[in-house]
Amino acid sequence: MTSTPLLEAVDVVREYRAPRRSLRTPGQPIRALDGVSVQVHEGEAFGIVGESGSGKSTLSRILMALDQPTSGTAFYNGQRISGVPERRLGFLRRDVQMVLQDPMSSLNPRMRVADIIAEPMRALRLPGDHRARVAELMHSVGLPEEAVTRYPHQFSGGQRQRIAIARALAAGPKVIVGDEPVSALDVSVRAQILNLLTDLAEQFKLTLILVSHDLSVVRYLCDRIAVMNQGRIVETGDTESIYSDPQHPYTQRLLSAVPTLSGDLLDRFNRSST
Amino acid sequence: MTSVADAPPDATADVVAAGPVKPRRRWNLTLVIGAGLVGLVVLTALVSFLWTPYDPTRVDPSQTLLSPGGDHWLGTDHFGRDIVSQLLVGARTTLFVGVVAVAIAAAVGVPLGLLAATGHRWLSEPVMRALDIVFAFPAILLAIILAAGFGASTLTGMIAIGVANVPVFGRLTRAGAMQVLQSDFVLAARSYGRRGVVLMVRYVLPNIAALLIVQASVSFAHAVLAEAALSYLGYGTPPPTPTWGRMLQEAQNYFVVQPMLAVWPGLAIALSVLGFNLMGDGLRDALDPRLRGR
Amino acid sequence: MSGVSGLVVEDLVVKVHDIQAVKGVSFEIGRGRRMGLIGESGCGKSLTALALMGLLPHGVTASGRVLLNGRNLLDLSDKEMCAVRGNDIAMVFQEPMTALNPLMRVGNQVAESLRLHKGMSRAAASARAVELLERVQLPEPDRTARKYPHQLSGGQRQRVVLAIALACDPAVLVADEPTTALDVTVQAEMLRLMDTLVREEGASLLLITHDLPVVASICEELLVMYGGSIVEHGDVATVFDSPRHPYTAGLRASTVLESTDGSGRLSTIPGRVPSLGSFPTGCVYRNRCPRADDVCGTVPLLTAPPGSNQRAACHHPIESDQPLGSGKASA
């Protein structure tokens, strides 16, 4: 792992200011990220795991330059992306795409599917036949080509997530960041979308960053993970070694809290939390 | 049932259903009544271009202050002008002033609102405070000032009403746009480099269009009322062009002799204001996807 | 033992306008038993819960029988049902923020239920409310009682909702996705708490969720619902170990993400849940089922093989040591 990481965060701090409570004193700063460093290498599937408020989504936004760190820097392919004006981020916008949790709200309800999927190509002014590319993408994600004239609300949740994935692939990215991409889906649909993601990652040689609270999904999809708690990364390493032998007490507690079909959750959880 | 058993195991089976499964749309009574009243006003205005029973400005000293009935259906005023003809032509002024005033308000207010929603504090705060000041400034006062400077005309009336409505559109646009800008699809759009004017036009505006349309119809009702008020006060469209507001004002002096003179323009104003308000309410329900198909 | 009947549901039908969303569901939860009701969105599980509570929205009607303490709850007037609700049967909802009144201190919200149902005085109810908040293991219960919902975390709010539900010692507790909105560790704490309290109170629990492992963690019995019908019923461990209905098997495989067939891909249920009113006739699952054939055009009965209490509504159930899909004729 001596090569340059594809995406990297170095000592990133992100503070928000709480709304002020009095006229004299400004609001207290809240640290969403507290000195986070992380490296994602080309071709791997990297998981960022944590509970709500752990800072995992904030970290993913900073790695995509959709949010700016208070201090620290993010890099893509060795190039600085924090504090860089938007007009000089074209390379990043093309190479890194995202899939969000709720496929209903992540698609513009007033656009037809054909336009939704073609938008990244238009926004980035990519050459080529956009309509042919849209048709090809619809096929890749397993949707019928004729459906491109429909609006998002005419699809089921799983289908909408397929549209979101097609859009993410449109610009020919190198990295896909999934922020809870299957959390809002029904159990049976979840497996379909996970299969689709793994297939596409392989087919297009994608680097995956998966942000999730769902430990079983992360375990299935990711090679390496970082466990976050209260704005810090408490543990990082190969997925299997972390799952089989968690070192940090928080990771141990988190893993012990995952219910399984064997029904031993309460026994395990009682043991770990006492 | 072989086709069922042979269904492909994965993605391809997840095909699009024949169409959106939605409960049948029910007729929205508010919208129908509102649109009906508005349609009546529009029709009246259109008819007046082709035909009026009499020339609305023709003075006939032998036929003053007639009661409804006979040759003049709704009677005549103190100059012997035909009331029906004046009402028909007055609808034109009313609609014209309303359309232009709302257009001015939206054309200025919406961009300001979008600008204020982008989030730069040093931009949004001054814009919003400026809108607050305009909001606090009475439209009638503005109309009087404009009339004093440029002479009372339809134009000064329209500008005054339009400017007074700018903050309404500005605030609404800002609130709606800020909400849309928080949404996931805008985040996704930013991730592939959409920003600035294109982001506003392609993503934000279509998603607040429903809000703005509703506001436009409510503002239209206000404009109709304001135009009538200005004409009544003598700061709107100058004579001899008939307007509902001035008809009302002139009727005042003859109220004892011929009370019906005040009733007709009053009724016209009330019905059109009611129409636009109902249409606004109806559109809000019809355009709000959360209220749809209940 | 389960011999003493707690809640008995017989042939419950819930209609949304004219479409049957719940198609004649029957089950029984013994006193003190913990029953899980599993299903995906649109299977009718939440409508079943609302029907039990008499909380169906306008345009939705229930028929059949819901027997609790010898009374059919569906026959009761709104006023009578109001007295039953909270007192004999109580509910915990998915989203604790919307289940609580944002403008009322949480202690008062717990006390309100006591004053309403038990006719307690203001002071007695307040004191009891603090005790209840302590029972649901909220820190500093007397201080917490004076807080507003937005000052609490999601897990704490759900504990308050649970305290309200348990305030009048209900015989049956219905919990609809009670932990879905919570973080994993908070979920585990909440499940532990529910488990403890339901045991201590001797109440029956109906836990409704899409999350199979959650049911496995605190329930003894399991109902699997699909398309408004119960497709499988049995002991949790048995059903998850060796599901008989192909839908249960599919759900299980989709949940346990480790299990893949030879190709390294996850096994999935093909297609998607049809929308209300567009389920196939006969077996509701036959358009997605790998085992479906002509027989499936008739509605299968919920039956158990001899010597077992694991009932499945399937014409071609999976036998214990037979892998899923082997009933299908080779393509």
Side-chain angles (χ1 to χ4, degrees):
Chain A
M1 296 268 176
T2 47
S3 60
T4 324
L6 191 59
L7 268 169
E8 186 176 18
V10 178
D11 209 21
V12 164
V13 174
R14 177 67 169 103
E15 283 183 349
Y16 294 94
R17 209 162 269 288
R20 57 169 71 221
R21 298 236 161 159
S22 88
L23 279 173
R24 271 164 295 154
T25 50
Q28 292 298 305
I30 299 165
R31 285 213 160 179
L33 290 178
D34 191 3
V36 169
S37 298
V38 70
Q39 298 188 335
V40 181
H41 296 275
E42 187 158 3
E44 74 176 342
F46 186 79
I48 303 174
V49 184
E51 298 187 279
S52 55
S54 63
K56 57 186 191 302
S57 285
T58 309
L59 177 59
S60 75
R61 304 286 190 272
I62 284 174
L63 287 173
M64 299 187 71
L66 291 172
D67 192 3
Q68 295 300 326
T70 311
S71 71
T73 318
F75 298 92
Y76 174 72
N77 232 341
Q79 291 193 64
R80 195 190 161 94
I81 56 170
S82 303
V84 176
E86 186 65 40
R87 69 192 134 80
R88 283 201 271 131
L89 283 174
F91 66 99
L92 180 78
R93 296 290 172 243
R94 182 180 172 156
D95 281 5
V96 185
Q97 293 291 318
M98 75 195 312
V99 176
L100 290 158
Q101 170 171 8
D102 180 356
M104 187 71 229
S105 62
S106 72
L107 305 175
N108 186 346
R110 306 274 163 169
M111 274 193 194
R112 291 176 191 279
V113 170
D115 292 318
I116 289 174
I117 298 177
E119 263 295 283
M121 297 182 274
R122 290 183 193 147
L124 296 160
R125 303 216 165 83
L126 300 184
D129 182 351
H130 292 176
R131 280 180 63 177
R133 175 90 177 123
V134 168
E136 188 187 310
L137 287 163
M138 288 291 277
H139 180 73
S140 297
V141 299
L143 286 173
E145 218 181 293
E146 324 68 88
V148 294
T149 56
R150 292 166 187 264
Y151 287 95
H153 71 262
Q154 293 171 298
F155 294 84
S156 71
Q159 291 170 334
R160 281 185 217 126
Q161 202 58 304
R162 288 173 194 272
I163 296 168
I165 291 170
R167 175 181 63 188
L169 293 172
K174 294 199 172 76
V175 185
I176 297 246
V177 178
D179 191 345
E180 306 275 10
V182 296
S183 301
L185 304 175
D186 270 328
V187 188
S188 66
V189 180
R190 195 166 67 178
Q192 292 174 2
I193 298 296
L194 286 174
N195 275 341
L196 181 66
L197 276 175
T198 36
D199 291 351
L200 293 172
E202 197 172 308
Q203 192 184 341
F204 297 106
K205 312 242 174 316
L206 297 170
T207 303
L208 276 184
I209 297 180
L210 184 74
V211 178
S212 184
H213 73 282
D214 189 328
L215 291 134
S216 55
V217 169
V218 174
R219 181 178 198 175
Y220 172 73
L221 221 50
C222 297
D223 311 315
R224 256 175 5 106
I225 59 172
V227 181
M228 292 193 69
N229 184 30
Q230 295 182 349
R232 293 167 196 254
I233 292 182
V234 297
E235 190 164 0
T236 178
D238 289 343
T239 307
E240 275 321 305
S241 58
I242 285 187
Y243 275 79
S244 54
D245 185 20
Q247 297 299 308
H248 194 277
Y250 175 75
T251 316
Q252 291 166 359
R253 183 172 154 76
L254 191 64
L255 287 173
S256 76
V258 180
T260 61
L261 281 188
S262 59
D264 61 349
L265 166 72
L266 297 184
D267 298 340
R268 265 187 298 131
F269 189 65
N270 284 335
R271 244 182 288 130
S272 85
S273 54
T274 45
Chain B
M1 289 324 295
T2 42
S3 64
V4 166
D6 290 345
D10 199 350
T12 37
D14 191 12
V15 286
V16 180
V21 187
K22 260 197 279 178
R24 235 181 306 126
R25 275 285 253 307
R26 289 211 205 116
W27 276 101
N28 178 335
L29 194 64
T30 320
L31 183 58
V32 171
I33 295 175
L37 286 172
V38 170
L40 194 68
V41 178
V42 172
L43 194 69
T44 310
L46 289 179
V47 164
S48 77
F49 282 105
L50 303 174
W51 171 83
T52 49
Y54 296 87
D55 179 350
T57 56
R58 196 193 68 179
V59 175
D60 185 348
S62 65
Q63 305 257 328
T64 60
L65 298 174
L66 292 184
S67 291
D71 286 346
H72 299 275
W73 299 334
L74 298 180
T76 57
D77 69 1
H78 58 290
F79 286 133
R81 294 175 297 192
D82 181 51
I83 296 291
V84 175
S85 306
Q86 288 201 66
L87 281 178
L88 291 176
V89 176
R92 265 193 242 168
T93 321
T94 299
L95 282 182
F96 181 60
V97 171
V99 166
V100 175
V102 170
I104 291 174
V108 181
V110 171
L112 283 180
L114 291 178
L115 208 61
T118 50
H120 302 296
R121 261 180 74 87
W122 48 267
L123 195 65
S124 108
E125 283 298 314
V127 168
M128 291 315 291
R129 294 300 81 81
L131 290 181
D132 286 345
I133 291 169
V134 176
F135 196 61
F137 201 82
I140 302 284
L141 194 58
L142 187 64
I144 292 171
I145 292 169
L146 285 176
F150 304 97
S153 69
T154 313
L155 185 69
T156 55
M158 291 187 302
I159 291 175
I161 298 167
V163 169
N165 272 292
V166 164
V168 176
F169 278 88
R171 285 177 172 182
L172 185 76
T173 305
R174 175 170 175 266
M178 282 175 71
Q179 207 179 353
V180 176
L181 286 171
Q182 292 292 317
S183 68
D184 281 356
F185 64 83
V186 168
L187 187 70
R190 287 175 55 209
S191 83
Y192 46 74
R194 276 278 181 237
R195 61 200 164 95
V197 177
V198 186
L199 184 74
M200 288 296 175
V201 173
R202 292 191 58 116
Y203 288 80
V204 177
L205 270 184
N207 284 289
I208 58 171
L211 275 179
L212 295 177
I213 289 169
V214 172
Q215 184 56 51
S217 71
V218 173
S219 284
F220 209 103
H222 289 180
V224 169
L225 215 51
E227 190 276 331
L230 287 181
S231 299
Y232 178 88
L233 294 172
Y235 293 105
T237 311
T241 315
T243 75
W244 295 347
R246 213 184 30 261
M247 286 171 74
L248 198 59
Q249 185 239 336
E250 288 170 355
Q252 188 172 259
N253 299 330
Y254 302 93
F255 194 73
V256 183
V257 194
Q258 189 47 272
M260 294 311 279
L261 272 184
V263 169
W264 303 121
L267 207 60
I269 292 168
L271 283 180
S272 49
V273 169
L274 180 70
F276 280 108
N277 272 323
L278 287 179
M279 194 168 80
D281 278 0
L283 280 174
R284 188 193 54 220
D285 294 352
L287 295 174
D288 188 338
R290 285 168 306 173
L291 297 174
R292 214 176 270 169
R294 272 212 297 200
Chain C
M1 287 305 289
S2 66
V4 190
S5 64
L7 182 75
V8 180
V9 175
E10 283 175 6
D11 203 26
L12 177 70
V13 173
V14 179
K15 280 187 180 173
V16 179
H17 301 293
D18 285 330
I19 305 164
Q20 280 198 2
V22 177
K23 303 171 180 170
V25 159
S26 302
F27 60 89
E28 184 177 336
I29 311 176
R31 196 164 277 277
R33 297 281 288 180
R34 301 186 298 281
M35 173 82 88
L37 176 56
I38 281 276
E40 295 182 281
S41 56
C43 74
K45 59 186 193 298
S46 289
L47 282 178
T48 303
L50 293 175
L52 300 188
M53 298 297 299
L55 290 173
L56 288 173
H58 281 286
V60 183
T61 52
S63 58
R65 304 210 300 164
V66 177
L67 299 171
L68 181 65
N69 298 334
R71 283 201 290 179
N72 181 2
L73 300 188
L74 297 183
D75 285 345
L76 300 183
S77 67
D78 279 357
K79 203 176 160 195
E80 290 168 316
M81 193 59 213
C82 221
V84 170
R85 211 182 298 134
N87 227 347
D88 300 322
I89 182 166
M91 187 158 177
V92 176
F93 297 90
Q94 171 173 357
E95 189 38 72
M97 195 64 210
T98 52
L100 295 171
N101 179 346
L103 298 178
M104 197 170 167
R105 295 179 200 275
V106 295
N108 291 345
Q109 302 196 39
V110 181
E112 193 185 34
S113 168
L114 292 163
R115 294 178 60 197
L116 210 64
H117 293 294
K118 300 238 154 157
M120 281 183 165
S121 71
R122 188 181 287 268
S126 298
R128 175 83 182 119
V130 174
E131 282 173 36
L132 282 162
L133 292 178
E134 190 169 11
R135 279 211 74 191
V136 295
Q137 294 165 15
L138 279 164
E140 300 181 89
D142 40 353
R143 280 192 58 192
T144 307
R146 289 198 302 275
K147 288 188 174 171
Y148 289 96
H150 73 269
Q151 295 171 306
L152 303 176
S153 71
Q156 290 173 331
R157 285 196 285 262
Q158 196 61 300
R159 282 160 195 264
V160 173
V161 174
L162 187 62
I164 294 172
L166 293 176
C168 301
D169 312 310
V172 180
L173 179 67
V174 179
D176 190 0
E177 305 274 8
T179 60
T180 306
L182 306 177
D183 276 327
V184 202
T185 50
V186 183
Q187 163 173 284
E189 284 165 4
M190 186 70 194
L191 289 174
R192 178 169 62 186
L193 180 67
M194 282 177 59
D195 184 66
T196 313
L197 292 181
V198 168
R199 275 174 204 275
E200 284 176 4
E201 303 283 342
S204 313
L205 173 70
L206 179 63
L207 176 70
I208 297 165
T209 179
H210 69 282
D211 196 336
L212 279 62
V214 164
V215 165
S217 302
I218 66 167
C219 293
E220 303 156 320
E221 259 180 275
L222 172 69
L223 297 163
V224 182
M225 233 176 142
Y226 182 83
S229 307
I230 289 173
V231 296
E232 185 152 10
H233 168 231
D235 291 338
V236 168
T238 327
V239 173
F240 285 151
D241 267 357
S242 49
R244 294 185 63 230
H245 196 285
Y247 175 66
T248 318
L251 263 190
R252 184 188 180 284
S254 306
T255 306
V256 190
L257 292 175
E258 296 112 25
S259 79
T260 51
D261 54 14
S263 66
R265 294 167 57 85
L266 298 171
S267 38
T268 59
I269 299 176
R272 60 189 173 104
V273 182
S275 53
L276 184 60
S278 38
F279 283 92
T281 55
C283 172
V284 281
Y285 187 58
R286 70 183 166 123
N287 62 337
R288 303 175 73 189
C289 183
R291 297 172 157 242
D293 60 18
D294 293 344
V295 185
C296 301
T298 58
V299 180
L301 295 172
L302 195 61
T303 51
S308 159
N309 59 359
Q310 186 185 357
R311 301 184 296 154
C314 182
H315 292 294
H316 309 288
I318 304 161
E319 306 308 335
S320 308
D321 39 60
Q322 179 189 1
L324 173 67
S326 60
K328 184 172 69 171
S330 58

